[in-house]
């Protein structure tokens, strides 16, 4: 049996939002993420460090639109998803201030049993967006 190659990281992750204008206002406007691809009504792609956050309209991505050159299959999800962005404890404090200034409610903020700090908010589509110290998973 062949041994699988090592996975070096997550290249992209997807969240779903029907209102892409609201998603753009949150991810680009509030979080300051750079838009890599702007293609409403189907999707928006944002730079997230060394990876990409894909925000798809679930209605659009459930329909087959692949071509012979790019045979992307239909995909999608319904209901809120989750994404977590790496942040230091000091950066989490700065995010708390940004969210307070923008009137964005904090769902939760706490220290995990290993001492790592997490802060959670909701994007306009209801997705859970977390900011956490990387030591949550990698002490």
């Amino acid at each position: 049996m062949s041994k699988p190659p090592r996975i070096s990281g997550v290249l992209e992750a997807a969240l779903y939002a029907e209102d892409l204008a609201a998603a753009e206002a949150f991810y680009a406007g509030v979080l300051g993420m750079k838009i890599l691809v702007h293609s409403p009504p189907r999707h928006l792609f944002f730079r997230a460090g060394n990876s990409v956050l894909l925000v798809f309209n679930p209605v659009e991505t459930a329909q087959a639109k692949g071509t012979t050159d790019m045979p992307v299959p239909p995909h999608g999800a319904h209901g809120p998803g989750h994404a977590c962005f790496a942040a230091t404890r000091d950066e989490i404090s700065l995010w708390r201030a940004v969210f307070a200034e923008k009137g964005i409610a904090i769902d939760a903020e706490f220290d995990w049993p290993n001492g790592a700090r997490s802060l959670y908010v909701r994007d306009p589509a209801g997705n859970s967006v977390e900011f956490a110290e990387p030591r949550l998973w990698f002490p």
Side-chain angles (χ1 to χ4, degrees), residues 61-116:
T61 58
Q63 302 171 30
K65 297 232 177 167
T67 66
T68 55
D69 293 337
M70 291 180 33
V72 177
H75 58 283
H78 297 282
H82 172 75
C84 179
F85 299 110
T88 66
R89 187 170 286 258
D90 288 343
E91 290 168 338
I92 290 170
S93 292
L94 293 172
W95 281 118
R96 184 183 328 102
V98 167
F99 297 136
E101 180 181 299
K102 302 283 186 184
I104 296 170
I106 293 173
D107 273 356
E109 183 177 8
F110 60 93
D111 290 331
W112 291 90
N114 72 356

Side-chain angles (χ1 to χ4, degrees), residues 2 9 18 22 36 50 53 59 135:
S2 297
E18 288 188 31
L36 297 175
N50 290 325
L53 176 66
V59 174
R135 67 188 177 116

